[in-house]
Amino acid sequence: MQANPAAVIFLALLVAVGLVATQGVAIVESGTVGVVRHFGAVQDLLVQPGLQFKVPVMTDIVAMDTRVKKVVAEATASSKDLQIVTSKIALNYRIDATKANLIFEKLGPQYPETIVEPALQESIKATTSKYTAEELITRRAEVAQEMEDDLIARLLSKDLIPTDLSIIDFEFSAEFNQAIEQKQVAQQAALRARNDLDKVRIEAEQAQAEAEGKAQAELARARAEAEAQQMLRATLTPEVLQLRFIERWDGRLPVYSGGEGTMPMPMMPLPAASPSR
């Protein structure tokens, strides 16, 4: 029985349509970019989000995420003063979307595990060794910035762009934590002693200032009295004394006893009047 040529053609068209419908289109999601491969070889062409057509079997499109990713890594290392420190660091990064095809070709889709996490751990160890354990705490922002700069240098050459780094935690040995606690207790005791000493010193200075103030006031009063006495002596002429005597005289002559009876005391002679001009 011969096959119907029309039926064969229809069947072939049906298969072709089905193949195109399933293998000839690709949807590139938002937040990604499409890397085009032709028989497995990465092409220079990048396709943007949306519905994209491709040649079935020969061509495929691989989506590469261009959004910011986050990776958290822990690393244990020795500080500058040989303290064991376990650091937990979070890094935000993204790929250079214009070079997604090169990243896929050179690094592969598993680059977060194979490239980013090891680079982050190496950066933690390298930076930790530059600071003492205490400086890792007191200079936290500076440490984070140095780690981020180190990661930028490590990842930019691979077309990966760090956007933000934060230190989640530093963990130290129990011995170091105890030493820090003892140091803080000693510092607080020293601060209290210094405050008490300052209080005693201030009170002593206040007492001294008060005593000096009283002494200055007494000296000023004595000086004023001396000056007043000097001025008084300068103005007490015989005429002034007689005038004050007259002002206070009640009109009665004082008397005194003598050999021949009681006689009035003579008054002080008045000064001669100045000749009129």
Side-chain angles (χ1 to χ4, degrees):
M1 179 179 178
Q2 289 184 343
N4 187 343
V8 172
I9 294 173
F10 176 76
L11 182 61
L13 289 175
L14 187 61
V15 171
V17 170
L19 188 61
V20 170
T22 57
Q23 301 294 325
V25 294
I27 297 177
V28 179
E29 298 290 342
S30 178
T32 66
V33 65
V35 176
V36 179
R37 293 192 303 176
H38 187 66
F39 288 118
V42 176
Q43 306 298 302
D44 293 336
L45 176 65
L46 291 173
V47 294
Q48 299 305 311
L51 182 64
Q52 303 292 338
F53 293 95
K54 60 188 181 70
V55 180
V57 180
M58 297 172 55
T59 306
D60 65 339
I61 298 176
V62 180
M64 290 286 287
D65 197 340
T66 58
R67 292 167 292 194
V68 174
K69 296 178 179 292
K70 180 179 179 180
V71 59
V72 177
E74 289 188 6
T76 300
S78 294
S79 63
K80 187 177 180 179
D81 54 347
L82 302 181
Q83 296 291 334
I84 301 301
V85 185
T86 299
S87 306
K88 188 175 183 180
I89 310 297
L91 173 69
N92 292 334
Y93 71 98
R94 61 179 177 82
I95 68 170
D96 184 345
T98 63
K99 299 179 180 179
N101 52 343
L102 299 178
I103 295 173
F104 182 85
E105 183 178 23
K106 294 178 180 180
L107 307 181
Q110 303 302 319
Y111 65 88
E113 294 80 14
T114 59
I115 302 298
V116 179
E117 289 185 15
L120 180 54
Q121 292 180 350
E122 286 299 319
S123 180
I124 293 172
K125 294 177 181 178
T127 306
T128 300
S129 65
K130 298 179 181 180
Y131 295 87
T132 66
E134 186 173 352
E135 288 173 340
L136 291 173
I137 301 172
T138 59
R139 300 166 64 181
R140 189 185 186 107
E142 180 181 336
V143 173
Q145 185 60 55
E146 184 160 345
M147 284 187 186
E148 184 172 339
D149 293 342
D150 183 75
L151 279 167
I152 290 174
R154 292 174 185 269
L155 296 180
L156 277 183
S157 61
K158 296 177 174 59
D159 301 318
L160 303 173
I161 305 172
T163 59
D164 183 59
L165 182 141
S166 58
I167 298 173
I168 299 175
D169 190 26
F170 286 128
E171 292 185 2
F172 304 93
S173 65
E175 294 79 7
F176 178 78
N177 290 332
Q178 185 178 4
I180 289 295
E181 183 178 354
Q182 292 174 349
K183 181 178 180 180
Q184 290 176 342
V185 171
Q187 288 176 341
Q188 290 299 322
L191 180 60
R192 285 194 299 270
R194 186 163 59 251
N195 290 338
D196 292 341
L197 182 61
D198 289 342
K199 181 180 178 182
V200 172
R201 178 179 55 79
I202 291 172
E203 289 177 350
E205 289 176 353
Q206 289 175 341
Q208 181 180 357
E210 184 177 355
E212 290 177 353
K214 290 182 178 179
Q216 291 292 336
E218 292 294 336
L219 180 61
R221 185 164 54 252
R223 185 181 295 113
E225 290 179 355
E227 291 176 354
Q229 291 292 335
Q230 184 177 1
M231 292 177 62
L232 182 60
R233 286 194 299 270
T235 57
L236 285 180
T237 63
E239 293 82 359
V240 172
L241 289 174
Q242 187 169 8
L243 179 60
R244 290 190 178 180
F245 173 79
I246 294 171
E247 289 174 348
R248 296 184 179 182
W249 183 42
D250 57 1
R252 291 180 296 177
L253 292 174
V255 295
Y256 66 94
S257 297
E260 298 180 355
T262 302
M263 297 185 63
M265 180 180 293
M267 294 183 59
M268 294 178 62
L270 293 174
S274 300
S276 57
R277 296 180 182 180

